Amino acid sequence: MKFKWPENKQEQTKYIALIAIMAIVVIVVLVMFVINPFRKAKADNLTALLDLKAKIENAQREIDKKPLEMKRNTEMLNKILQASDAYMLKPVLGRNYLLGATPIIEKHVKALSLTLVKPPTEVGIGDVILPQTVRKGSPLPTVKTYTARVNLKCSYANVVRLVRAIESENPYVTIAGISIVGAPLVDPENHTVTFDIQWPIWADEETAASVRQQLKKSSEEEEAEAKAQDTKETATNEKKP
Amino acid sequence: MNLRVDLILESEQRSASVVSLKFVLRLVAIVVPTVLVLLILWAVTSFISAKNQMRNLEEAWKITEPRLNAVAELRGKATLNQAMFKELEGWKKTHVDWNQHLQVIQRIFPKDLQLSSLTLTHVIQATPKQGMARQFALLLKGTAFGDTADQNVQKLRRTIQKSAPFTNILEEVEVKQFEADPQNRNNRLFQIECRYQPRLFQ
């Protein structure tokens, strides 16, 4: 069927109006159901895209801090290990801390030509922070206290010398108690001296080994990271004209 | 006088204009669908392009995320190790050089008083809001002689308060006991307690 444009002007106006209505309907339908959904999907995508882009940029900034974090971690591990090796009391033959403490005490006593009334005795292991008082989510305390008791008969001046020797050798050690009782009628020069020496010990004996292992791994990773960085820099320099 | 006879019917009349209604309609029939098609094409292509960009970024994120997690894990470890080191350093912070304190007590102790015993005690306890701390107390027991016994004991108390290693570290110096010696009523037994400020671990 061939469409014939009407000759009558009134008919023409009707046709034009009808075509206009149909065109508007088609345009509205197309905009509503085709163009707009695509635009909305694109806008949503764009928002997600910008979010993801920002997330990646932030992540990259964090990743760039890796060498610094590695350095900080290695530094901490080094300091912990140094303090552990030099100043913390280590158990001997299993969990015997007294065997570790006795030679330290005897060394100082001998150096001052003093004599112990009896060998050092164990007061015990204690907590600095009670595990049950640790807040949820906070790390458990890693250090405990070990206290040994020393009994001597010596002058006041010698007590001062002995305490000085012990304290200057180890800044982490604490004299947790002293008792100096004089017997002026029996022996005015020498007093009955008892004092407690307190050392820090690891709550978990494996901590030192674990720190050592962490340090080794951390140093290796730091070295690898530095090498990777060098390679990257060399490649960038070669690309430049 | 002119006479105009119009022999053409109204329906047979044609416009002399170059732009006819038919032409306009044809033009609109071509232009509007073309614009619509172009709009649709633009919407679809830009959507596809955004989708592709999104896919690329997702791929980049897949590579970045494990690296970020590794850094976060490393930071966690470093923070834990820092806390461990801080805990250890607490021992250094709570350390008191007792040799200096003992030496100064020996130096400032008046000849008119006799020290019979010296006791240092210590507890580790939680302080309100500040965390764990060492609390030290030094108790000096002795005998004072003569009429000036009271003055001598008070003088010792004041000297301890003012002497060098004690000044910023002591909380209170108190004469806890001052009474006649049951063995010799002329002498006085005294006790001076030096309470130290809490030594905080943190």
Side-chain angles (χ1 to χ4, degrees):
Chain A
M1 196 179 100
K2 204 181 169 189
F3 175 77
K4 198 169 180 265
W5 189 249
E7 301 289 329
N8 188 321
K9 269 203 170 166
Q10 267 186 344
E11 282 294 305
Q12 280 181 357
T13 316
K14 279 183 197 167
Y15 265 73
I16 289 166
L18 202 69
I19 290 166
I21 289 167
M22 277 173 70
I24 288 167
V25 168
V26 169
I27 288 167
V28 166
V29 166
L30 277 175
V31 167
M32 272 177 72
F33 298 105
V34 182
I35 297 171
N36 264 357
F38 270 114
R39 281 184 59 211
K40 198 179 171 295
K42 188 202 153 192
D44 289 349
N45 237 334
L46 217 65
T47 315
L49 199 85
L50 288 174
D51 285 349
L52 191 58
K53 217 173 180 176
K55 207 169 151 184
I56 291 172
E57 276 169 10
N58 284 339
Q60 197 51 53
R61 268 197 292 275
E62 289 298 305
I63 291 165
D64 290 344
K65 288 179 193 162
K66 195 180 176 186
L68 277 176
E69 289 296 338
M70 278 180 143
K71 203 177 160 196
R72 182 167 80 105
N73 192 34
T74 312
E75 242 175 56
M76 283 302 136
L77 288 168
N78 259 322
K79 284 180 178 174
I80 293 169
L81 207 60
Q82 273 170 19
S84 169
D85 287 348
Y87 305 122
M88 289 180 88
L89 194 65
K90 286 141 208 93
V92 177
L93 300 173
R95 271 188 72 85
N96 196 332
Y97 286 95
L98 188 61
L99 282 179
T102 306
I104 299 170
I105 297 162
E106 282 177 346
K107 179 183 78 182
H108 293 296
V109 169
K110 207 175 164 187
L112 291 166
S113 310
L114 301 173
T115 323
L116 291 169
V117 172
K118 59 177 182 176
T121 52
E122 184 173 84
V123 177
I125 294 173
D127 289 301
V128 176
I129 302 164
L130 296 172
Q132 59 265 35
T133 61
V134 174
R135 267 180 294 172
K136 211 175 172 185
S138 300
L140 279 171
T142 49
V143 182
K144 285 184 174 243
T145 67
Y146 177 81
T147 315
R149 184 159 293 164
V150 183
N151 292 283
L152 292 155
K153 209 149 180 79
C154 65
S155 67
Y156 190 95
N158 276 335
V159 180
V160 174
R161 280 191 207 107
L162 182 60
V163 171
R164 186 186 299 140
I166 292 166
E167 283 180 339
S168 47
E169 186 194 49
N170 187 346
Y172 289 78
V173 95
T174 287
I175 303 297
I178 303 177
S179 165
I180 305 171
V181 182
L185 299 175
V186 186
D187 185 358
E189 272 299 306
N190 293 313
H191 316 301
T192 305
V193 180
T194 306
F195 66 92
D196 294 342
I197 312 174
Q198 200 168 73
W199 281 271
I201 59 168
W202 289 119
D204 177 5
E205 288 164 31
E206 299 302 314
T207 308
S210 143
V211 168
R212 210 177 295 278
Q213 207 175 345
Q214 269 192 66
L215 181 64
K216 194 181 164 200
K217 199 180 159 197
S218 181
S219 304
E220 281 169 5
E221 278 175 2
E222 212 178 336
E223 220 169 277
E225 185 76 18
K227 259 185 196 169
Q229 198 70 26
D230 278 353
T231 319
K232 207 174 157 185
E233 272 172 26
T234 318
T236 318
N237 288 337
E238 277 171 2
K239 267 184 192 175
K240 280 181 189 170
Chain B
M1 191 184 142
N2 286 329
L3 181 69
R4 185 174 175 260
V5 180
D6 202 349
L7 296 173
I8 303 170
L9 292 170
E10 203 177 337
S11 60
E12 290 171 347
Q13 283 176 1
R14 294 289 180 271
S15 168
S17 167
V18 181
V19 184
S20 68
L21 183 66
K22 221 173 180 178
F23 175 73
V24 170
L25 280 174
R26 274 180 189 160
L27 196 69
V28 168
I30 293 165
V31 169
V32 171
T34 310
V35 167
L36 275 174
V37 167
L38 285 175
L39 263 175
I40 292 168
L41 271 176
W42 168 77
V44 172
T45 48
S46 56
F47 169 76
I48 290 169
S49 154
K51 203 80 181 152
N52 280 339
Q53 275 187 55
M54 187 70 185
R55 203 172 296 131
N56 289 343
L57 280 180
E58 274 168 357
E59 287 298 318
W61 178 244
K62 269 185 198 165
I63 299 164
T64 312
E65 197 183 14
R67 291 171 67 201
L68 179 69
N69 289 342
V71 175
E73 197 187 334
L74 180 69
R75 179 168 298 148
K77 272 186 196 167
T79 308
L80 266 178
N81 289 329
Q82 197 170 17
M84 197 193 275
F85 179 65
K86 215 175 150 191
E87 200 183 331
L88 258 178
E89 281 302 282
W91 279 73
K92 229 181 192 175
K93 283 172 80 180
T94 59
H95 176 94
V96 177
D97 279 326
W98 288 110
N99 69 84
Q100 287 177 17
H101 290 232
L102 294 177
Q103 200 173 22
V104 170
I105 284 171
Q106 191 182 28
R107 186 165 47 82
I108 63 172
F109 213 85
K111 283 176 184 159
D112 312 322
L113 302 177
Q114 187 183 50
L115 182 67
S116 53
S117 79
L118 177 150
T119 313
L120 171 74
T121 52
H122 145 268
V123 281
I124 295 175
Q125 60 184 24
T127 55
K129 291 182 187 172
Q130 289 171 305
M132 303 306 290
R134 289 186 193 277
Q135 186 87 54
F136 292 101
L138 189 67
L139 187 70
L140 306 173
K141 283 186 191 173
T143 313
F145 310 98
D147 297 336
T148 55
D150 183 27
Q151 289 163 27
N152 290 337
V153 170
Q154 288 302 334
K155 193 180 163 195
L156 174 62
R157 184 184 65 81
R158 284 194 299 274
T159 316
I160 292 173
Q161 269 177 329
K162 282 188 270 175
S163 298
F166 299 104
T167 36
N168 296 323
I169 202 170
L170 279 180
E171 201 168 67
E172 199 179 5
V173 185
E174 194 185 354
V175 178
K176 293 286 267 190
Q177 185 202 22
F178 188 80
E179 59 191 32
D181 183 352
Q183 289 169 355
N184 185 346
R185 303 300 293 179
N186 292 327
N187 297 340
R188 296 287 179 268
L189 295 177
F190 71 88
Q191 280 185 24
I192 295 177
E193 191 190 52
C194 310
R195 272 199 302 278
Y196 285 75
Q197 287 168 5
R199 308 279 293 174
L200 293 166
F201 276 93
Q202 284 172 354

